[in-house]
Amino acid sequence: MTGRFVVVTGTGTGVGKTVATAALAAVAVAAGERVAVLKPAQTGVGPDDPGDIDEVARLVPGVTTRELARYPDPLAPATAARRCGARPVTPEQAAVTARTLADHHDLVLVEGAGGLLVRFTDEGGTLADVARLLGAPVVVVAAAGLGTLNHTALTVEALRARGLSCAGIVIGSWPAEPDLAERCNLQDLPMITRTLVRGLLPEGLGRVTPDRFAAVARDTLGPIQLGDWQDPRA
Protein backbone atom coordinates (compact mmCIF):
# COMPACT_ATOMS: atom_id res chain seq x y z
CA MET A 1 0.00 0.00 0.00
CA THR A 2 1.43 3.37 -0.99
CA GLY A 3 1.34 6.55 1.05
CA ARG A 4 -0.78 9.61 0.47
CA PHE A 5 0.15 12.97 -0.99
CA VAL A 6 -0.31 16.58 0.11
CA VAL A 7 0.87 19.51 -1.99
CA VAL A 8 1.94 22.72 -0.26
CA THR A 9 1.75 26.02 -2.11
CA GLY A 10 2.03 29.65 -1.12
CA THR A 11 0.11 32.74 -2.08
CA GLY A 12 3.50 34.12 -3.16
CA THR A 13 7.13 34.14 -2.12
CA GLY A 14 8.27 34.76 1.44
CA VAL A 15 5.04 33.66 3.14
CA GLY A 16 6.60 30.87 5.22
CA LYS A 17 5.90 27.95 2.91
CA THR A 18 9.01 25.94 3.83
CA VAL A 19 8.44 26.32 7.58
CA ALA A 20 4.81 25.32 7.07
CA THR A 21 5.87 22.26 5.08
CA ALA A 22 8.29 21.32 7.85
CA ALA A 23 5.57 21.82 10.45
CA LEU A 24 3.20 19.52 8.59
CA ALA A 25 6.00 16.96 8.36
CA ALA A 26 6.75 17.29 12.08
CA VAL A 27 3.11 16.65 13.03
CA ALA A 28 3.03 13.51 10.90
CA VAL A 29 6.39 12.27 12.24
CA ALA A 30 5.14 12.79 15.79
CA ALA A 31 2.17 10.59 14.91
CA GLY A 32 4.55 7.80 13.94
CA GLU A 33 4.35 8.23 10.19
CA ARG A 34 7.15 7.84 7.67
CA VAL A 35 7.36 11.18 5.89
CA ALA A 36 9.07 12.36 2.71
CA VAL A 37 9.28 15.95 1.48
CA LEU A 38 9.82 16.60 -2.22
CA LYS A 39 10.97 19.96 -3.63
CA PRO A 40 10.73 19.63 -7.43
CA ALA A 41 12.59 22.85 -8.21
CA GLN A 42 14.72 25.12 -6.02
CA THR A 43 15.71 28.53 -7.34
CA GLY A 44 18.02 31.27 -6.09
CA VAL A 45 20.46 28.86 -4.45
CA GLY A 46 23.97 27.84 -5.51
CA PRO A 47 25.07 24.21 -5.99
CA ASP A 48 26.64 23.90 -2.53
CA ASP A 49 24.32 26.21 -0.59
CA PRO A 50 21.53 24.97 1.69
CA GLY A 51 18.09 25.17 0.15
CA ASP A 52 14.54 24.75 1.36
CA ILE A 53 14.86 20.98 1.55
CA ASP A 54 17.88 21.34 3.84
CA GLU A 55 15.85 23.59 6.12
CA VAL A 56 13.15 20.94 6.36
CA ALA A 57 15.75 18.26 7.15
CA ARG A 58 17.26 20.46 9.88
CA LEU A 59 13.92 21.17 11.52
CA VAL A 60 12.53 17.64 11.24
CA PRO A 61 15.30 15.05 11.79
CA GLY A 62 14.59 11.71 10.21
CA VAL A 63 12.36 12.98 7.41
CA THR A 64 13.30 11.89 3.89
CA THR A 65 14.02 14.80 1.56
CA ARG A 66 14.38 14.98 -2.20
CA GLU A 67 15.19 17.85 -4.53
CA LEU A 68 15.01 17.31 -8.29
CA ALA A 69 16.73 20.44 -9.61
CA ARG A 70 18.14 23.77 -8.49
CA TYR A 71 18.86 26.90 -10.45
CA PRO A 72 21.02 29.84 -9.28
CA ASP A 73 18.81 32.77 -10.29
CA PRO A 74 15.99 33.72 -7.85
CA LEU A 75 13.32 33.49 -10.54
CA ALA A 76 10.42 31.26 -11.52
CA PRO A 77 11.74 27.73 -12.20
CA ALA A 78 11.04 27.83 -15.93
CA THR A 79 12.84 31.16 -16.33
CA ALA A 80 15.70 30.18 -14.05
CA ALA A 81 16.22 26.89 -15.92
CA ARG A 82 16.21 28.66 -19.28
CA ARG A 83 18.72 31.27 -18.14
CA CYS A 84 21.29 28.71 -17.01
CA GLY A 85 20.72 26.33 -19.91
CA ALA A 86 19.38 23.54 -17.70
CA ARG A 87 16.47 21.21 -18.25
CA PRO A 88 13.30 22.23 -16.45
CA VAL A 89 11.51 19.85 -14.12
CA THR A 90 8.16 18.81 -15.53
CA PRO A 91 5.05 18.12 -13.44
CA GLU A 92 5.17 14.56 -14.73
CA GLN A 93 8.69 14.08 -13.38
CA ALA A 94 7.65 15.48 -10.03
CA ALA A 95 4.63 13.19 -9.87
CA VAL A 96 6.68 10.11 -10.75
CA THR A 97 9.20 10.92 -8.01
CA ALA A 98 6.41 11.51 -5.48
CA ARG A 99 4.85 8.15 -6.32
CA THR A 100 8.22 6.43 -5.92
CA LEU A 101 8.66 8.02 -2.50
CA ALA A 102 5.13 6.93 -1.56
CA ASP A 103 6.15 3.29 -2.00
CA HIS A 104 8.14 3.56 1.24
CA HIS A 105 6.48 6.45 3.09
CA ASP A 106 3.08 7.07 4.64
CA LEU A 107 2.98 10.73 3.61
CA VAL A 108 4.69 12.61 0.79
CA LEU A 109 4.61 16.40 1.00
CA VAL A 110 5.35 18.26 -2.25
CA GLU A 111 6.49 21.85 -1.75
CA GLY A 112 6.17 24.21 -4.68
CA ALA A 113 8.24 27.23 -5.64
CA GLY A 114 6.47 30.53 -5.11
CA GLY A 115 2.76 30.41 -5.88
CA LEU A 116 0.42 27.83 -7.37
CA LEU A 117 0.70 28.94 -11.01
CA VAL A 118 4.42 29.73 -11.15
CA ARG A 119 5.70 27.84 -14.17
CA PHE A 120 8.01 24.86 -13.96
CA THR A 121 8.25 24.70 -17.75
CA ASP A 122 7.87 27.10 -20.65
CA GLU A 123 4.99 24.94 -21.85
CA GLY A 124 2.99 25.99 -18.82
CA GLY A 125 3.44 23.15 -16.32
CA THR A 126 2.74 24.26 -12.75
CA LEU A 127 2.37 22.91 -9.23
CA ALA A 128 -1.36 22.71 -9.91
CA ASP A 129 -0.56 20.09 -12.53
CA VAL A 130 1.46 18.11 -9.98
CA ALA A 131 -1.52 18.14 -7.61
CA ARG A 132 -3.81 17.02 -10.44
CA LEU A 133 -1.53 14.17 -11.47
CA LEU A 134 -1.30 12.95 -7.86
CA GLY A 135 -4.94 13.59 -7.00
CA ALA A 136 -3.58 15.45 -3.98
CA PRO A 137 -5.23 18.05 -1.75
CA VAL A 138 -3.42 21.38 -1.54
CA VAL A 139 -2.53 23.31 1.62
CA VAL A 140 -2.30 27.05 0.97
CA VAL A 141 0.25 28.97 3.03
CA ALA A 142 -0.65 32.63 3.31
CA ALA A 143 0.79 35.83 4.73
CA ALA A 144 -0.85 37.45 7.74
CA GLY A 145 -0.93 41.09 6.70
CA LEU A 146 -2.53 43.52 4.30
CA GLY A 147 -3.16 42.08 0.84
CA THR A 148 -3.49 38.49 1.93
CA LEU A 149 -7.27 38.36 1.46
CA ASN A 150 -6.99 38.95 -2.29
CA HIS A 151 -3.92 36.75 -2.78
CA THR A 152 -5.42 33.86 -0.82
CA ALA A 153 -8.84 34.11 -2.45
CA LEU A 154 -7.25 34.06 -5.91
CA THR A 155 -5.20 30.98 -5.03
CA VAL A 156 -8.18 29.08 -3.65
CA GLU A 157 -10.30 30.12 -6.61
CA ALA A 158 -7.61 28.87 -9.01
CA LEU A 159 -7.60 25.51 -7.22
CA ARG A 160 -11.36 25.12 -7.43
CA ALA A 161 -11.42 26.17 -11.08
CA ARG A 162 -9.08 23.24 -11.79
CA GLY A 163 -11.12 20.77 -9.78
CA LEU A 164 -8.48 20.59 -7.04
CA SER A 165 -9.22 20.31 -3.33
CA CYS A 166 -8.02 22.95 -0.90
CA ALA A 167 -7.19 21.21 2.35
CA GLY A 168 -7.01 24.47 4.28
CA ILE A 169 -5.05 27.65 4.89
CA VAL A 170 -2.02 28.00 7.16
CA ILE A 171 -0.67 31.42 8.15
CA GLY A 172 3.05 30.95 7.66
CA SER A 173 4.30 33.67 10.01
CA TRP A 174 1.92 35.01 12.65
CA PRO A 175 3.33 38.01 14.55
CA ALA A 176 3.59 38.11 18.32
CA GLU A 177 1.63 41.36 18.32
CA PRO A 178 -0.74 41.31 15.33
CA ASP A 179 -1.97 44.65 14.05
CA LEU A 180 -5.53 45.55 13.09
CA ALA A 181 -5.24 44.26 9.51
CA GLU A 182 -3.82 40.94 10.65
CA ARG A 183 -6.52 40.43 13.27
CA CYS A 184 -9.26 41.30 10.79
CA ASN A 185 -7.73 39.07 8.10
CA LEU A 186 -7.90 36.11 10.45
CA GLN A 187 -11.63 36.66 10.80
CA ASP A 188 -12.25 37.40 7.12
CA LEU A 189 -10.17 34.68 5.44
CA PRO A 190 -12.61 31.80 6.09
CA MET A 191 -15.55 33.89 4.91
CA ILE A 192 -13.89 35.18 1.73
CA THR A 193 -12.25 31.91 0.70
CA ARG A 194 -14.86 29.47 2.12
CA THR A 195 -11.87 27.53 3.45
CA LEU A 196 -10.81 26.76 6.99
CA VAL A 197 -7.73 28.37 8.54
CA ARG A 198 -5.90 25.38 9.99
CA GLY A 199 -3.19 27.12 11.98
CA LEU A 200 -1.06 30.15 12.72
CA LEU A 201 2.67 29.42 12.81
CA PRO A 202 4.45 31.97 15.01
CA GLU A 203 7.00 34.20 13.31
CA GLY A 204 10.58 33.09 13.85
CA LEU A 205 9.57 29.44 14.22
CA GLY A 206 12.22 28.37 11.74
CA ARG A 207 14.97 29.54 14.10
CA VAL A 208 14.13 27.27 17.03
CA THR A 209 15.57 23.84 17.86
CA PRO A 210 14.04 20.74 16.28
CA ASP A 211 12.50 19.66 19.59
CA ARG A 212 10.90 23.04 20.12
CA PHE A 213 9.81 23.16 16.49
CA ALA A 214 8.06 19.80 16.79
CA ALA A 215 6.27 20.88 19.97
CA VAL A 216 5.02 24.14 18.47
CA ALA A 217 3.98 22.40 15.24
CA ARG A 218 1.94 19.86 17.19
CA ASP A 219 0.33 22.57 19.31
CA THR A 220 -0.45 24.66 16.24
CA LEU A 221 -1.49 22.13 13.60
CA GLY A 222 -2.17 18.91 15.44
CA PRO A 223 -2.85 16.39 16.53
CA ILE A 224 -4.70 15.88 13.25
CA GLN A 225 -4.34 13.50 10.35
CA LEU A 226 -3.74 15.39 7.13
CA GLY A 227 -6.14 13.00 5.45
CA ASP A 228 -8.85 14.60 7.59
CA TRP A 229 -7.93 18.08 6.36
CA GLN A 230 -10.84 18.09 3.99
CA ASP A 231 -13.15 21.11 4.02
CA PRO A 232 -16.59 19.94 2.81
CA ARG A 233 -17.00 23.36 1.19
CA ALA A 234 -13.86 22.90 -0.96
mmCIF file of all heavy atoms in Angstrom, residues 4 20 22-31 33 169-170 197-202 205 213-229:
data_model
loop_
_atom_site.group_PDB
_atom_site.id
_atom_site.type_symbol
_atom_site.label_atom_id
_atom_site.label_comp_id
_atom_site.label_asym_id
_atom_site.label_seq_id
_atom_site.Cartn_x
_atom_site.Cartn_y
_atom_site.Cartn_z
ATOM 1 N N ARG A 4 0.067 8.575 1.041
ATOM 2 C CA ARG A 4 -0.783 9.610 0.473
ATOM 3 C C ARG A 4 0.048 10.858 0.193
ATOM 4 O O ARG A 4 1.170 10.998 0.669
ATOM 5 C CB ARG A 4 -1.943 9.925 1.405
ATOM 6 C CG ARG A 4 -1.543 10.515 2.735
ATOM 7 C CD ARG A 4 -2.675 10.403 3.731
ATOM 8 N NE ARG A 4 -2.401 11.142 4.962
ATOM 9 C CZ ARG A 4 -1.613 10.698 5.922
ATOM 10 N NH1 ARG A 4 -0.995 9.546 5.792
ATOM 11 N NH2 ARG A 4 -1.426 11.424 7.017
ATOM 12 N N ALA A 20 6.103 25.995 6.989
ATOM 13 C CA ALA A 20 4.806 25.318 7.073
ATOM 14 C C ALA A 20 4.919 23.868 6.612
ATOM 15 O O ALA A 20 4.338 22.960 7.227
ATOM 16 C CB ALA A 20 3.773 26.065 6.243
ATOM 17 N N ALA A 22 7.595 22.008 6.770
ATOM 18 C CA ALA A 22 8.294 21.315 7.846
ATOM 19 C C ALA A 22 7.366 21.048 9.024
ATOM 20 O O ALA A 22 7.432 19.981 9.654
ATOM 21 C CB ALA A 22 9.510 22.122 8.286
ATOM 22 N N ALA A 23 6.504 22.001 9.337
ATOM 23 C CA ALA A 23 5.573 21.818 10.453
ATOM 24 C C ALA A 23 4.591 20.685 10.176
ATOM 25 O O ALA A 23 4.295 19.870 11.060
ATOM 26 C CB ALA A 23 4.826 23.118 10.731
ATOM 27 N N LEU A 24 4.084 20.614 8.957
ATOM 28 C CA LEU A 24 3.197 19.517 8.587
ATOM 29 C C LEU A 24 3.930 18.181 8.692
ATOM 30 O O LEU A 24 3.375 17.185 9.170
ATOM 31 C CB LEU A 24 2.676 19.717 7.171
ATOM 32 C CG LEU A 24 1.748 20.919 6.954
ATOM 33 C CD1 LEU A 24 1.529 21.163 5.468
ATOM 34 C CD2 LEU A 24 0.423 20.706 7.662
ATOM 35 N N ALA A 25 5.193 18.182 8.259
ATOM 36 C CA ALA A 25 5.998 16.960 8.365
ATOM 37 C C ALA A 25 6.210 16.581 9.822
ATOM 38 O O ALA A 25 6.123 15.397 10.189
ATOM 39 C CB ALA A 25 7.334 17.158 7.662
ATOM 40 N N ALA A 26 6.490 17.564 10.668
ATOM 41 C CA ALA A 26 6.751 17.292 12.081
ATOM 42 C C ALA A 26 5.531 16.687 12.776
ATOM 43 O O ALA A 26 5.655 15.780 13.613
ATOM 44 C CB ALA A 26 7.185 18.575 12.790
ATOM 45 N N VAL A 27 4.338 17.190 12.438
ATOM 46 C CA VAL A 27 3.115 16.650 13.026
ATOM 47 C C VAL A 27 2.937 15.188 12.639
ATOM 48 O O VAL A 27 2.594 14.339 13.466
ATOM 49 C CB VAL A 27 1.896 17.488 12.583
ATOM 50 C CG1 VAL A 27 0.598 16.804 12.985
ATOM 51 C CG2 VAL A 27 1.958 18.881 13.197
ATOM 52 N N ALA A 28 3.189 14.893 11.363
ATOM 53 C CA ALA A 28 3.028 13.515 10.896
ATOM 54 C C ALA A 28 4.083 12.599 11.509
ATOM 55 O O ALA A 28 3.789 11.456 11.892
ATOM 56 C CB ALA A 28 3.105 13.472 9.371
ATOM 57 N N VAL A 29 5.328 13.067 11.618
ATOM 58 C CA VAL A 29 6.387 12.270 12.236
ATOM 59 C C VAL A 29 6.038 11.973 13.692
ATOM 60 O O VAL A 29 6.227 10.851 14.187
ATOM 61 C CB VAL A 29 7.745 12.993 12.126
ATOM 62 C CG1 VAL A 29 8.788 12.336 13.026
ATOM 63 C CG2 VAL A 29 8.235 12.993 10.679
ATOM 64 N N ALA A 30 5.521 12.978 14.389
ATOM 65 C CA ALA A 30 5.142 12.786 15.793
ATOM 66 C C ALA A 30 4.031 11.747 15.946
ATOM 67 O O ALA A 30 3.920 11.093 16.987
ATOM 68 C CB ALA A 30 4.700 14.111 16.400
ATOM 69 N N ALA A 31 3.236 11.591 14.888
ATOM 70 C CA ALA A 31 2.168 10.591 14.908
ATOM 71 C C ALA A 31 2.663 9.216 14.489
ATOM 72 O O ALA A 31 1.870 8.275 14.369
ATOM 73 C CB ALA A 31 1.031 11.036 13.991
ATOM 74 N N GLU A 33 4.365 8.482 11.620
ATOM 75 C CA GLU A 33 4.349 8.235 10.185
ATOM 76 C C GLU A 33 5.727 8.412 9.557
ATOM 77 O O GLU A 33 6.550 9.191 10.038
ATOM 78 C CB GLU A 33 3.362 9.188 9.502
ATOM 79 C CG GLU A 33 1.931 8.978 9.925
ATOM 80 C CD GLU A 33 0.957 9.678 9.002
ATOM 81 O OE1 GLU A 33 0.722 10.887 9.199
ATOM 82 O OE2 GLU A 33 0.450 9.025 8.079
ATOM 83 N N ILE A 169 -5.994 26.535 4.925
ATOM 84 C CA ILE A 169 -5.046 27.646 4.890
ATOM 85 C C ILE A 169 -4.212 27.620 6.167
ATOM 86 O O ILE A 169 -4.741 27.397 7.259
ATOM 87 C CB ILE A 169 -5.785 28.994 4.786
ATOM 88 C CG1 ILE A 169 -6.594 29.059 3.489
ATOM 89 C CG2 ILE A 169 -4.813 30.174 4.871
ATOM 90 C CD1 ILE A 169 -7.620 30.179 3.488
ATOM 91 N N VAL A 170 -2.919 27.854 6.013
ATOM 92 C CA VAL A 170 -2.020 28.001 7.160
ATOM 93 C C VAL A 170 -1.352 29.365 7.048
ATOM 94 O O VAL A 170 -0.819 29.707 5.986
ATOM 95 C CB VAL A 170 -0.950 26.893 7.189
ATOM 96 C CG1 VAL A 170 0.071 27.164 8.296
ATOM 97 C CG2 VAL A 170 -1.597 25.526 7.396
ATOM 98 N N VAL A 197 -9.096 28.044 8.128
ATOM 99 C CA VAL A 197 -7.733 28.367 8.538
ATOM 100 C C VAL A 197 -7.316 27.316 9.551
ATOM 101 O O VAL A 197 -7.896 27.201 10.626
ATOM 102 C CB VAL A 197 -7.636 29.780 9.150
ATOM 103 C CG1 VAL A 197 -6.230 30.039 9.667
ATOM 104 C CG2 VAL A 197 -8.025 30.831 8.125
ATOM 105 N N ARG A 198 -6.278 26.538 9.194
ATOM 106 C CA ARG A 198 -5.902 25.376 9.989
ATOM 107 C C ARG A 198 -4.880 25.687 11.072
ATOM 108 O O ARG A 198 -4.684 24.871 11.973
ATOM 109 C CB ARG A 198 -5.342 24.298 9.071
ATOM 110 C CG ARG A 198 -6.330 23.809 8.017
ATOM 111 C CD ARG A 198 -7.453 23.041 8.646
ATOM 112 N NE ARG A 198 -8.303 22.401 7.651
ATOM 113 C CZ ARG A 198 -9.276 21.546 7.927
ATOM 114 N NH1 ARG A 198 -9.523 21.233 9.190
ATOM 115 N NH2 ARG A 198 -9.996 21.017 6.974
ATOM 116 N N GLY A 199 -4.187 26.815 10.958
ATOM 117 C CA GLY A 199 -3.194 27.116 11.981
ATOM 118 C C GLY A 199 -2.445 28.394 11.707
ATOM 119 O O GLY A 199 -2.410 28.895 10.577
ATOM 120 N N LEU A 200 -1.878 28.942 12.775
ATOM 121 C CA LEU A 200 -1.063 30.150 12.721
ATOM 122 C C LEU A 200 0.321 29.794 13.246
ATOM 123 O O LEU A 200 0.485 29.568 14.437
ATOM 124 C CB LEU A 200 -1.669 31.265 13.581
ATOM 125 C CG LEU A 200 -3.174 31.516 13.487
ATOM 126 C CD1 LEU A 200 -3.581 32.573 14.501
ATOM 127 C CD2 LEU A 200 -3.557 31.935 12.095
ATOM 128 N N LEU A 201 1.305 29.743 12.373
ATOM 129 C CA LEU A 201 2.666 29.421 12.806
ATOM 130 C C LEU A 201 3.351 30.698 13.267
ATOM 131 O O LEU A 201 3.418 31.684 12.513
ATOM 132 C CB LEU A 201 3.446 28.791 11.654
ATOM 133 C CG LEU A 201 2.882 27.460 11.154
ATOM 134 C CD1 LEU A 201 3.624 27.000 9.912
ATOM 135 C CD2 LEU A 201 2.948 26.397 12.244
ATOM 136 N N PRO A 202 3.863 30.734 14.487
ATOM 137 C CA PRO A 202 4.451 31.973 15.012
ATOM 138 C C PRO A 202 5.681 32.386 14.224
ATOM 139 O O PRO A 202 6.471 31.553 13.780
ATOM 140 C CB PRO A 202 4.809 31.621 16.460
ATOM 141 C CG PRO A 202 4.748 30.151 16.561
ATOM 142 C CD PRO A 202 3.886 29.638 15.473
ATOM 143 N N LEU A 205 9.609 30.858 13.850
ATOM 144 C CA LEU A 205 9.573 29.444 14.224
ATOM 145 C C LEU A 205 10.723 28.663 13.597
ATOM 146 O O LEU A 205 11.231 27.708 14.194
ATOM 147 C CB LEU A 205 8.232 28.833 13.808
ATOM 148 C CG LEU A 205 8.004 27.363 14.166
ATOM 149 C CD1 LEU A 205 8.116 27.148 15.670
ATOM 150 C CD2 LEU A 205 6.648 26.887 13.649
ATOM 151 N N PHE A 213 10.588 23.053 17.729
ATOM 152 C CA PHE A 213 9.812 23.160 16.493
ATOM 153 C C PHE A 213 8.703 22.115 16.462
ATOM 154 O O PHE A 213 7.543 22.415 16.139
ATOM 155 C CB PHE A 213 10.736 22.983 15.285
ATOM 156 C CG PHE A 213 10.046 23.155 13.967
ATOM 157 C CD1 PHE A 213 9.865 24.416 13.421
ATOM 158 C CD2 PHE A 213 9.559 22.053 13.281
ATOM 159 C CE1 PHE A 213 9.208 24.573 12.207
ATOM 160 C CE2 PHE A 213 8.910 22.206 12.068
ATOM 161 C CZ PHE A 213 8.742 23.466 11.526
ATOM 162 N N ALA A 214 9.055 20.879 16.801
ATOM 163 C CA ALA A 214 8.063 19.804 16.793
ATOM 164 C C ALA A 214 6.937 20.081 17.781
ATOM 165 O O ALA A 214 5.760 19.846 17.485
ATOM 166 C CB ALA A 214 8.735 18.476 17.116
ATOM 167 N N ALA A 215 7.286 20.600 18.955
ATOM 168 C CA ALA A 215 6.269 20.884 19.971
ATOM 169 C C ALA A 215 5.313 21.977 19.511
ATOM 170 O O ALA A 215 4.091 21.857 19.656
ATOM 171 C CB ALA A 215 6.942 21.284 21.282
ATOM 172 N N VAL A 216 5.870 23.045 18.936
ATOM 173 C CA VAL A 216 5.020 24.144 18.468
ATOM 174 C C VAL A 216 4.166 23.687 17.287
ATOM 175 O O VAL A 216 2.975 24.034 17.187
ATOM 176 C CB VAL A 216 5.876 25.365 18.083
ATOM 177 C CG1 VAL A 216 5.007 26.458 17.450
ATOM 178 C CG2 VAL A 216 6.597 25.916 19.301
ATOM 179 N N ALA A 217 4.741 22.904 16.386
ATOM 180 C CA ALA A 217 3.976 22.402 15.244
ATOM 181 C C ALA A 217 2.797 21.564 15.706
ATOM 182 O O ALA A 217 1.675 21.711 15.196
ATOM 183 C CB ALA A 217 4.876 21.597 14.316
ATOM 184 N N ARG A 218 3.029 20.688 16.674
ATOM 185 C CA ARG A 218 1.938 19.855 17.189
ATOM 186 C C ARG A 218 0.876 20.707 17.861
ATOM 187 O O ARG A 218 -0.328 20.475 17.692
ATOM 188 C CB ARG A 218 2.476 18.808 18.173
ATOM 189 C CG ARG A 218 3.294 17.704 17.528
ATOM 190 C CD ARG A 218 3.485 16.535 18.480
ATOM 191 N NE ARG A 218 4.117 16.927 19.723
ATOM 192 C CZ ARG A 218 5.433 16.922 19.931
ATOM 193 N NH1 ARG A 218 6.244 16.566 18.947
ATOM 194 N NH2 ARG A 218 5.937 17.275 21.090
ATOM 195 N N ASP A 219 1.294 21.708 18.637
ATOM 196 C CA ASP A 219 0.327 22.572 19.307
ATOM 197 C C ASP A 219 -0.468 23.401 18.315
ATOM 198 O O ASP A 219 -1.638 23.730 18.551
ATOM 199 C CB ASP A 219 1.043 23.502 20.286
ATOM 200 C CG ASP A 219 1.580 22.772 21.505
ATOM 201 O OD1 ASP A 219 1.152 21.619 21.732
ATOM 202 O OD2 ASP A 219 2.433 23.347 22.213
ATOM 203 N N THR A 220 0.179 23.767 17.208
ATOM 204 C CA THR A 220 -0.454 24.658 16.242
ATOM 205 C C THR A 220 -1.320 23.915 15.237
ATOM 206 O O THR A 220 -2.448 24.333 14.950
ATOM 207 C CB THR A 220 0.625 25.460 15.480
ATOM 208 O OG1 THR A 220 1.445 26.156 16.417
ATOM 209 C CG2 THR A 220 -0.006 26.463 14.535
ATOM 210 N N LEU A 221 -0.816 22.817 14.700
ATOM 211 C CA LEU A 221 -1.491 22.130 13.602
ATOM 212 C C LEU A 221 -2.093 20.789 13.981
ATOM 213 O O LEU A 221 -2.884 20.235 13.222
ATOM 214 C CB LEU A 221 -0.493 21.884 12.457
ATOM 215 C CG LEU A 221 0.160 23.115 11.852
ATOM 216 C CD1 LEU A 221 1.178 22.689 10.799
ATOM 217 C CD2 LEU A 221 -0.872 24.043 11.240
ATOM 218 N N GLY A 222 -1.725 20.255 15.112
ATOM 219 C CA GLY A 222 -2.170 18.909 15.444
ATOM 220 C C GLY A 222 -2.670 18.824 16.875
ATOM 221 O O GLY A 222 -2.740 19.839 17.572
ATOM 222 N N PRO A 223 -2.962 17.620 17.325
ATOM 223 C CA PRO A 223 -2.852 16.386 16.533
ATOM 224 C C PRO A 223 -4.012 16.254 15.550
ATOM 225 O O PRO A 223 -5.174 16.378 15.935
ATOM 226 C CB PRO A 223 -2.911 15.285 17.588
ATOM 227 C CG PRO A 223 -3.720 15.901 18.699
ATOM 228 C CD PRO A 223 -3.411 17.366 18.690
ATOM 229 N N ILE A 224 -3.685 16.061 14.284
ATOM 230 C CA ILE A 224 -4.700 15.879 13.251
ATOM 231 C C ILE A 224 -4.070 15.134 12.096
ATOM 232 O O ILE A 224 -2.906 15.351 11.764
ATOM 233 C CB ILE A 224 -5.266 17.241 12.772
ATOM 234 C CG1 ILE A 224 -6.435 17.034 11.815
ATOM 235 C CG2 ILE A 224 -4.195 18.090 12.121
ATOM 236 C CD1 ILE A 224 -7.184 18.317 11.505
ATOM 237 N N GLN A 225 -4.813 14.209 11.532
ATOM 238 C CA GLN A 225 -4.342 13.500 10.354
ATOM 239 C C GLN A 225 -4.596 14.370 9.134
ATOM 240 O O GLN A 225 -5.704 14.871 8.930
ATOM 241 C CB GLN A 225 -5.077 12.163 10.202
ATOM 242 C CG GLN A 225 -4.771 11.171 11.308
ATOM 243 C CD GLN A 225 -3.320 10.724 11.282
ATOM 244 O OE1 GLN A 225 -2.755 10.484 10.230
ATOM 245 N NE2 GLN A 225 -2.719 10.614 12.453
ATOM 246 N N LEU A 226 -3.566 14.547 8.307
ATOM 247 C CA LEU A 226 -3.743 15.387 7.126
ATOM 248 C C LEU A 226 -4.830 14.845 6.206
ATOM 249 O O LEU A 226 -5.440 15.597 5.454
ATOM 250 C CB LEU A 226 -2.419 15.511 6.362
ATOM 251 C CG LEU A 226 -1.445 16.546 6.921
ATOM 252 C CD1 LEU A 226 -0.124 16.484 6.170
ATOM 253 C CD2 LEU A 226 -2.028 17.940 6.818
ATOM 254 N N GLY A 227 -5.060 13.554 6.260
ATOM 255 C CA GLY A 227 -6.141 13.000 5.453
ATOM 256 C C GLY A 227 -7.501 13.533 5.876
ATOM 257 O O GLY A 227 -8.464 13.499 5.108
ATOM 258 N N ASP A 228 -7.596 14.033 7.109
ATOM 259 C CA ASP A 228 -8.852 14.598 7.592
ATOM 260 C C ASP A 228 -8.970 16.090 7.268
ATOM 261 O O ASP A 228 -9.990 16.710 7.565
ATOM 262 C CB ASP A 228 -8.976 14.412 9.110
ATOM 263 C CG ASP A 228 -9.038 12.942 9.493
ATOM 264 O OD1 ASP A 228 -9.499 12.147 8.666
ATOM 265 O OD2 ASP A 228 -8.617 12.607 10.615
ATOM 266 N N TRP A 229 -7.900 16.662 6.708
ATOM 267 C CA TRP A 229 -7.934 18.085 6.360
ATOM 268 C C TRP A 229 -8.736 18.245 5.072
ATOM 269 O O TRP A 229 -8.210 18.562 4.029
ATOM 270 C CB TRP A 229 -6.512 18.608 6.154
ATOM 271 C CG TRP A 229 -5.837 18.976 7.422
ATOM 272 C CD1 TRP A 229 -5.951 18.376 8.616
ATOM 273 C CD2 TRP A 229 -4.907 20.038 7.597
ATOM 274 N NE1 TRP A 229 -5.147 18.971 9.545
ATOM 275 C CE2 TRP A 229 -4.496 20.001 8.929
ATOM 276 C CE3 TRP A 229 -4.378 21.009 6.747
ATOM 277 C CZ2 TRP A 229 -3.582 20.919 9.450
ATOM 278 C CZ3 TRP A 229 -3.463 21.900 7.249
ATOM 279 C CH2 TRP A 229 -3.079 21.858 8.593
#
